[in-house]
Amino acid sequence: MDEIFGRNNFLGEIIWAYDFGGRTKKFFPNKHMTFLVYAKNINDYIFNYDDVDREPYMAPALCGENKAEIGKKPNSVWWNSIVGTNSKERNIGAYATKKPLKLFDRIIRASSNMGDIVLDMFAGSGTTGHASEQNGRNSIMIDENQEAIEAMKERYSTYGLNYKIG
């Protein structure tokens, strides 16, 4: 990514931490994914801080009742469950590495504006496109895997999302 965007355009990492799924007894199980965040231009990028939903404090007693009531803006570690095995989101447009829509909803709102075009070059089940459309953005989804393309078609038609294959 440094070669593509340049090391100086690296903004940081978002850690998606979750529970559930397989467990090993040989070491602490890996229950997180790391998203590397780059800007095309470190001096000119979008960060919509106020568009990101607040979340509960992990220790509300330490921050006081007023702050605890409104919650906090997230930091770089996001706790969000995986897509449940029996959820509608998992079973429509099924794809092995599917990420939760809620996760991409936050990313899209924070890093783009209404009407922008969002590009996902490894689109998988199309979660990025789904989050983009539901937040008033356009998207271009690319994936070379035919299974991914079929998953996107199923997902988009089931949820009534606009798409064009070509």
Side-chain angles (χ1 to χ4, degrees):
M1 297 298 288
D2 285 353
E3 287 180 30
I4 295 169
F5 292 102
R7 176 69 179 113
N8 353 336
N9 291 318
F10 178 67
L11 295 174
E13 300 173 344
I14 295 171
I15 308 298
W16 169 38
Y18 52 90
D19 205 350
F20 302 105
R23 298 259 182 225
T24 180
K25 293 183 179 179
K26 296 180 181 180
F27 194 69
F28 298 108
N30 289 322
K31 296 295 174 183
H32 76 278
M33 288 189 173
T34 304
F35 295 87
L36 302 177
V37 182
Y38 283 80
K40 183 177 178 182
N41 178 346
I42 195 71
N43 298 312
D44 182 25
Y45 65 92
I46 296 166
F47 183 61
N48 297 318
Y49 181 78
D50 292 331
D51 289 347
V52 177
D53 294 335
R54 292 182 171 274
E55 55 188 29
Y57 282 94
M58 292 179 76
L62 296 178
C63 67
E65 193 174 319
N66 290 343
K67 275 186 161 182
E69 190 174 310
I70 63 169
K72 67 177 183 76
K73 291 293 184 173
N75 58 31
S76 62
V77 178
W78 298 354
W79 284 92
N80 194 91
S81 188
I82 61 172
V83 179
T85 55
N86 62 351
S87 74
K88 180 180 180 185
E89 187 179 347
R90 163 73 72 192
N91 296 319
I92 293 176
Y95 196 71
T97 60
K98 185 179 281 190
K99 313 293 184 296
L101 183 59
K102 184 177 177 183
L103 188 70
F104 282 84
D105 183 67
R106 179 183 280 175
I107 292 168
I108 298 300
R109 284 185 290 125
S111 61
S112 65
N113 293 320
M114 296 281 279
D116 282 354
I117 299 173
V118 176
L119 172 67
D120 187 341
M121 295 178 58
F122 304 94
S125 68
T127 306
T128 303
H130 191 160
S132 296
E133 183 164 326
Q134 107 182 347
N135 285 289
R137 278 73 165 170
N138 299 300
S139 64
I140 299 171
M141 301 291 99
I142 300 171
D143 206 300
E144 67 179 5
N145 184 331
Q146 191 58 42
E147 183 182 342
I149 293 166
E150 293 305 317
M152 280 187 266
K153 282 185 191 172
E154 181 184 359
R155 176 188 206 132
Y156 294 171
S157 63
T158 299
Y159 285 99
L161 304 173
N162 295 314
Y163 70 94
K164 179 176 149 185
I165 305 292

